[in-house]
Amino acid sequence: GDSVTQMEGPVTLSEEAFLTINCTYTATGYPSLFWYVQYPGEGLQLLLKATKADDKGSNKGFEATYRKETTSFHLEKGSVQVSDSAVYFCALSDRYGGSQGNLIFGKGTKLSVKP
Amino acid sequence: EPEVTQTPSHQVTQMGQEVILRCVPISNHLYFYWYRQILGQKVEFLVSFYNNEISEKSEIFDDQFSVERPDGSNFTLKIRSTKLEDSAMYFCASTEDRQSSGNTIYFGEGSWLTVV
């Protein structure tokens, strides 16, 4: 079945460092791809999404590009801040383009940013 | 910003007991979900609910589990005869329209269930 694999954490970076969190997927159809973030003590929040190949999702300085040829959706940020410390989840939707029912998640990657 | 609220935030229960986890989805949303995350594992889909009935469920969602929308605002997950392996974080979620690409699915903060 469909699945998502993301890099194991935790990831510890210094403020202003470059961030990459790798995410690859397997899917029988043409999924939509998402990054969710969970800040300490809060629920899962949608960070960004992409619904078709070569789409780039972006939000709060984070970016991810839907790469169908490599089945990847890596999350990047050029300069992280302490406030970016959170757990990041890559996910796909096995339904219609853009629909977010029945998400399939990766295990999550914990990011800690030190001042 | 509207939010999904869940109670309790943490519950400890004896093995074999019944547990009810409660959720208040965002008021104009039509689709509701439960997901769970066992410590160190992936967030897993349990069930989706629309128009007062289950629209889809995963293999995990067996007869031990049930969902209900008893009063038009709450959305509950009942776990009967809890087992140690039911210990997990349970997330409730809702979305306005499942079919629309423009809509966001909103998650609650989760209810942490510990079965002892």
Side-chain angles (χ1 to χ4, degrees), chain A:
Chain A
D2 295 356
S3 66
V4 173
T5 302
Q6 61 182 106
M7 64 186 281
E8 298 281 334
V11 174
T12 303
L13 295 174
S14 298
E15 209 165 22
E16 298 184 3
F18 184 85
L19 169 71
T20 300
I21 301 178
N22 290 338
C23 172
T24 57
Y25 68 90
T26 57
T28 52
Y30 199 153
S32 296
L33 302 174
F34 308 86
W35 277 100
Y36 278 81
V37 59
Q38 186 177 29
Y39 298 103
E42 299 184 19
L44 293 167
Q45 301 173 25
L46 178 65
L47 181 60
L48 53 84
K49 68 181 183 184
T51 58
K52 60 182 188 294
D54 300 325
D55 264 4
K56 179 187 284 189
S58 60
N59 186 24
K60 299 181 182 180
F62 290 89
E63 293 183 341
T65 301
Y66 190 144
R67 300 287 187 202
K68 199 168 190 299
E69 65 276 15
T70 54
T71 61
S72 65
F73 192 55
H74 303 321
L75 182 69
E76 296 182 337
K77 186 174 185 181
S79 176
V80 293
Q81 306 300 312
V82 173
S83 56
D84 294 326
S85 298
V87 181
Y88 292 82
F89 295 89
C90 185
L92 67 81
S93 169
D94 63 352
R95 294 286 174 169
Y96 317 95
S99 172
Q100 294 188 57
N102 308 8
L103 291 164
I104 296 169
F105 284 89
K107 278 191 176 183
T109 303
K110 183 176 182 179
L111 170 67
S112 296
V113 181
K114 306 297 183 187

Side-chain angles (χ1 to χ4, degrees), chain B residues 36-51:
Chain B
R36 79 171 185 191
Q37 185 181 29
I38 295 172
L39 190 63
Q41 298 188 25
K42 297 184 179 185
V43 178
E44 303 169 292
F45 168 75
L46 291 179
V47 65
S48 59
F49 191 87
Y50 171 71
N51 200 26

